[in-house]
Amino acid sequence: MTDNIKNDNDVIFMRRAIELAKRGIGAVNPNPLVGAVIVKNNQILAEGWHERFGELHAERNAIRHFLEKHEADELKGSTIYVTLEPCCHYGKTPPCTDAIIENGFARVVIGSNDPNPLVAGKGIKILKDAGINVDAEFLKQECDALNFIFFHYIATKRPYITLKYAMTMDGKIATATGKSKWITGEAARQRVHEDRNRYMAIMVGVGTVAADNPELTCRLPGKTVCRNPIRIICDTALRTPLESRIVNTARDIRTIIATSCADCDKQRPYLDKGVEFIIIPQKDNHIDLETLVQKLGEMGIDSIILEGGGTLSFSALKCRIVNRVQAYIAPKLFGGADAKTPVEGRGIDEVNECIKLTDMSVTKVGEDILLESEVSYGCLQE
């Protein structure tokens, strides 16, 4: 059996490429995660992944690693497994299709199609026109799962937004006295920090900053690549405490306050501490979240974790900016008629007006449960 004929090892090699792609988490946004494996005679010759935004793509990294130890002629007739359709345009790096053709690859196995209009099937066509055997959409579902953020952003130019909260089994995010640390266990909190590393930004309301004084940083012990998300505070009237941890670390971690307050004198103490401002018009006495999301997308922010309180959560769902919900559920009961819940606001009037959640997955995380679903909007009460 030759490399030009699909064989039982194809799954193994592509899954290896998927694992390699994940090493770029937290470093490549708003680019996609991509892994590549070069194989000849069913033996892996070299591997690579997209390591950092602006640097070489996975295919060129794999080729570079091979050429560091071997002659270029040895690549001829090889197969390269790549999780995303190779690029065919000049950006921050040259086209990967050129490198594949120039190095004499006989076969390319591709996982996901690239929805970027600059690629979108053109990469596959160029490879085929060069006489290369191309197998596309191989393990497509697994490869697509790597880049749900990239696919959404490239299609809409808006960030992919995940609403995340932790609650007890009776649906409370705090006790009747407002205490919330800690609802979930250590394993769940570790998982949250892994997502903070993956998503480009984290968003909260001013109420959360005032009540909890959070840092909203990413803490992953032992991880060499760990990125703090951009911190975004929704603060219509500019009430964020100047003494808060977020404001006082704004020179070290990019921090943005989205507000309707354009008073330069009121903004100055925050600017002096390194805070950035985005001025957003009001809608229903709060900043217009839809306008905010549009502006954040224009700034190149491809993904946001929404960790605000119940009021901000309802507002975000009401204006339909949330794409996914993550609910961490702890085996605890708080009770309390007035204890806070994950989604508050006005709520809906009729059951058939609910926001539906689809494609639910259930994961055991330590002693807790993580429920994840995509959001399918119905007719939410205005």
Side-chain angles (χ1 to χ4, degrees), residues 256-323:
I256 300 170
I257 293 180
T259 183
S260 299
C261 176
D263 185 331
C264 294
D265 290 334
K266 196 170 182 180
Q267 288 181 10
R268 188 167 294 111
Y270 299 92
L271 292 168
D272 290 343
K273 290 177 177 285
V275 174
E276 300 175 34
F277 282 94
I278 303 178
I279 305 302
I280 303 294
Q282 288 193 35
K283 183 178 182 181
D284 299 329
N285 298 318
H286 298 287
I287 61 169
D288 185 341
L289 291 176
E290 191 167 3
T291 299
L292 172 60
V293 167
Q294 186 68 38
K295 287 196 174 186
L296 293 172
E298 291 169 0
M299 292 166 60
I301 295 175
D302 70 349
S303 52
I304 298 170
I305 299 177
L306 181 61
E307 291 193 16
T311 301
L312 179 59
S313 296
F314 180 76
S315 296
L317 289 164
K318 181 180 178 182
C319 66
R320 306 186 177 210
I321 63 170
V322 177
N323 303 103

Side-chain angles (χ1 to χ4, degrees), residues 202-214 216 231-236 239-241 246 256-258 286-287 289 292 305-313:
I202 184 168
M203 182 187 291
V204 297
V206 63
T208 296
V209 177
D212 300 338
N213 195 18
L216 302 180
R231 302 175 301 187
I232 302 166
I233 305 170
C234 297
D235 183 359
T236 305
R239 303 185 290 114
T240 300
I246 290 180
I256 300 170
I257 293 180
H286 298 287
I287 61 169
L289 291 176
L292 172 60
I305 299 177
L306 181 61
E307 291 193 16
T311 301
L312 179 59
S313 296

Side-chain angles (χ1 to χ4, degrees), residues 40-283:
K40 193 171 187 179
N41 298 325
N42 286 328
Q43 298 295 317
I44 294 178
L45 301 184
E47 300 176 332
W49 64 95
H50 185 27
E51 298 176 11
R52 192 169 296 278
F53 176 75
E55 296 183 2
L56 291 177
H57 292 181
E59 302 94 317
R60 286 187 175 270
N61 267 329
I63 293 168
R64 177 176 63 87
H65 292 154
F66 179 84
L67 295 178
E68 286 173 352
K69 298 180 180 180
H70 306 279
E71 296 297 324
D73 285 348
E74 298 178 50
L75 275 179
K76 287 184 168 46
S78 299
T79 294
I80 186 166
Y81 296 80
V82 59
T83 56
L84 183 70
E85 180 180 358
C87 67
C88 54
H89 63 286
Y90 281 88
K92 292 184 179 296
T93 60
C96 289
T97 49
D98 286 0
I100 291 170
I101 293 168
E102 290 164 3
N103 284 282
F105 283 89
R107 179 177 176 230
V108 181
V109 182
I110 298 168
S112 299
N113 301 109
D114 191 338
N116 186 341
L118 295 173
V119 185
K122 300 182 185 74
I124 292 174
K125 183 178 186 303
I126 287 170
L127 295 173
K128 286 183 175 180
D129 288 348
I132 297 173
N133 186 333
V134 177
D135 289 312
E137 299 187 352
F138 185 75
L139 295 188
K140 175 177 166 56
Q141 187 172 358
E142 294 179 39
C143 291
D144 284 355
L146 287 169
N147 285 309
F148 61 92
I149 288 173
F150 172 73
F151 292 158
H152 173 83
Y153 183 68
I154 203 72
T156 67
K157 299 303 180 187
R158 293 159 63 101
Y160 185 96
I161 299 180
T162 293
L163 169 61
K164 189 279 296 181
Y165 52 83
M167 68 180 187
T168 59
M169 285 186 69
D170 58 341
K172 306 298 183 180
I173 62 171
T175 66
T177 58
K179 302 295 192 302
S180 60
K181 292 185 178 180
W182 294 102
I183 291 176
T184 54
E186 186 175 338
R189 297 198 298 273
Q190 175 80 2
R191 176 73 174 259
V192 169
H193 283 280
E194 290 172 2
D195 276 338
R196 287 185 181 181
N197 181 52
R198 177 169 193 158
Y199 285 66
M200 189 176 285
I202 184 168
M203 182 187 291
V204 297
V206 63
T208 296
V209 177
D212 300 338
N213 195 18
E215 292 182 356
L216 302 180
T217 55
C218 176
R219 299 180 293 280
L220 291 173
K223 188 172 177 63
T224 55
V225 178
C226 183
R227 176 188 61 183
N228 285 313
I230 299 166
R231 302 175 301 187
I232 302 166
I233 305 170
C234 297
D235 183 359
T236 305
L238 193 48
R239 303 185 290 114
T240 300
L242 272 168
E243 67 276 9
S244 64
R245 290 192 181 103
I246 290 180
V247 171
N248 282 291
T249 55
R251 291 202 180 279
D252 300 318
I253 304 168
R254 188 178 181 189
T255 302
I256 300 170
I257 293 180
T259 183
S260 299
C261 176
D263 185 331
C264 294
D265 290 334
K266 196 170 182 180
Q267 288 181 10
R268 188 167 294 111
Y270 299 92
L271 292 168
D272 290 343
K273 290 177 177 285
V275 174
E276 300 175 34
F277 282 94
I278 303 178
I279 305 302
I280 303 294
Q282 288 193 35
K283 183 178 182 181

